Amino acid sequence: MERVPILKIGDILLVSIQLDMSDQTAVALQEDLAERIVATGCHGVIIDITALDIVDSFVGRMLSTIASISKVLDAETVVVGMRPAVAITLVELGLSLNGIRTALNVERGMELIAAAHADELDYQLDDDPDAETATP
C-alpha cells in the first residue's frame, strides 16, 4: 500500500497528494495525519491537491473527514492547489467541502492558518482573567 508523505514546515503539516486515493490509502492518511498532529502539536494542516485531475465524492468525503479529525485535534485544515476544472466539477455535481477552507496555493494556505492561529490566541487572551492588559 502506498502512503502519502507528510512534511512538517514550522507549525504546519504539509500533505501533497500525488497519487490516486484508494480507500486503504485514505484511511492510512487519516491515521498517519492524526498521529503526526498529536506528535508535533502543530496547529495547521495544508493538503495540496495540485496533482489531482479529479476530485470525486470519495475524495471530497476524505478531505472533509481529515479536516474534522484535524479540528478535533486543534489543527486548522486548508486545501490548496485546486484546479479550475476540479472546482467547476465540484460545483456542477453539488459536492461541497463542508468545514474545509481553501486557498489557491501553499503560501496563501499558510497565511490563512497563521491568521486563524493568531485569532485563536487573541480569543484565549481575551478570556484569560490573569492576562495582563496594556494601559495607555
Side-chain angles (χ1 to χ4, degrees), residues 1-133:
M1 173 179 57
E2 295 184 80
R3 294 190 103 76
V4 178
I6 302 170
L7 306 174
K8 185 176 182 301
I9 302 172
D11 289 342
I12 296 173
L13 296 178
L14 175 62
V15 178
S16 182
I17 300 175
Q18 302 288 319
L19 49 91
D20 290 331
M21 296 294 290
S22 67
D23 290 355
Q24 289 180 325
T25 305
V27 170
L29 175 59
Q30 291 171 7
E31 293 173 358
D32 292 347
L33 190 55
E35 289 175 9
R36 288 291 302 268
I37 291 169
V38 171
T40 62
C42 75
H43 64 267
V45 174
I46 294 177
I47 301 175
D48 181 12
I49 61 169
T50 305
L52 298 181
D53 293 326
I54 298 171
V55 173
D56 57 13
S57 60
F58 170 73
V59 174
R61 281 194 320 272
M62 184 244 345
L63 293 173
S64 183
T65 301
I66 287 174
S68 296
I69 292 169
S70 299
K71 190 67 176 175
V72 168
L73 295 174
D74 197 27
E76 187 78 26
T77 301
V78 178
V79 173
V80 303
M82 187 178 301
R83 294 180 180 194
V86 169
I88 291 168
T89 301
L90 287 173
V91 171
E92 288 178 349
L93 294 176
L95 298 175
S96 61
L97 301 176
N98 294 330
I100 298 177
R101 301 181 77 178
T102 59
L104 290 179
N105 55 46
V106 172
E107 184 177 5
R108 290 283 303 141
M110 292 175 80
E111 291 171 0
L112 282 175
I113 290 172
H117 189 61
D119 289 346
E120 183 179 311
L121 290 176
D122 286 345
Y123 177 76
Q124 290 173 352
L125 287 175
D126 289 344
D127 283 351
D128 185 358
D130 296 330
E132 293 183 25
T133 56

